Amino acid sequence: MSAVSRSEKPVGRLRRMLDRLSSSQEDLESEELREDAETAGCTRIGDCHDRQIVTVTGTLRTVTLRPRAGVPALEAELFDGSAALDVVWLGRRSIVGIEPGRKLIASGRISMSRGRRVLFNPKYELRPLGRE
């Protein structure tokens, strides 16, 4: 027998099917989001670094109104299967279409705040509904 690790062995259709059946729903959704980011040509959030200009895509998990320094700020958590980042629109109380569960593409410069990745006032594009 060879000492080849499981990740180095060729994966057949049966193995992939068994892996999908034994995976949790969250794992499957994360894998789908990672594949979606790759096909859209976007940077994975987990690969983003401080001060880097990026285009990312994912699903909004939460949307909250949280004032920053007395100014209204709409905050959303964007998740792409690899990691999450906060998207913040300063001076906005709401934006039509920005709601939990919605997919979007956002572009801007990553910054770090309290150990989390943040995109302030990004350019964004809402993904069409019905693609889910």
Side-chain angles (χ1 to χ4, degrees):
M1 287 220 103
S2 66
V4 176
S5 71
R6 181 174 170 184
S7 63
E8 294 175 15
K9 289 184 181 178
V11 179
R13 287 174 54 179
L14 181 59
R15 168 56 51 196
R16 284 193 306 265
M17 185 176 73
L18 289 173
D19 286 346
R20 280 189 78 74
L21 290 174
S22 64
S23 297
S24 70
Q25 185 66 26
E26 185 176 329
D27 291 340
L28 294 174
E29 289 172 1
S30 293
E31 182 182 335
E32 184 179 315
L33 287 170
R34 284 190 300 269
E35 289 171 2
D36 190 36
E38 188 176 308
T39 58
C42 296
T43 306
R44 289 178 29 172
I45 294 172
D47 296 338
C48 295
H49 303 290
D50 192 24
R51 309 295 301 151
Q52 181 182 7
I53 296 174
V54 297
T55 299
V56 295
T57 187
T59 300
L60 296 175
R61 292 205 288 197
T62 62
V63 178
T64 57
L65 177 62
R66 183 171 299 143
R68 288 179 175 249
V71 176
L74 185 64
E75 289 188 13
E77 182 183 60
L78 184 68
F79 181 70
D80 76 344
S82 68
L85 72 81
D86 295 328
V87 183
V88 179
W89 289 275
L90 297 170
R92 302 296 299 263
R93 294 184 189 280
S94 66
I95 298 174
V96 175
I98 301 297
E99 55 197 25
R102 187 69 187 254
K103 292 185 179 183
L104 66 88
I105 297 173
S107 300
R109 185 178 302 273
I110 294 282
S111 63
M112 297 298 282
S113 176
R114 299 184 191 127
R116 289 184 56 91
R117 295 173 183 92
V118 182
L119 268 179
F120 286 100
N121 295 324
K123 287 192 231 177
Y124 68 95
E125 175 185 333
L126 297 172
R127 304 289 297 272
L129 292 173
R131 290 190 60 205
E132 284 74 60

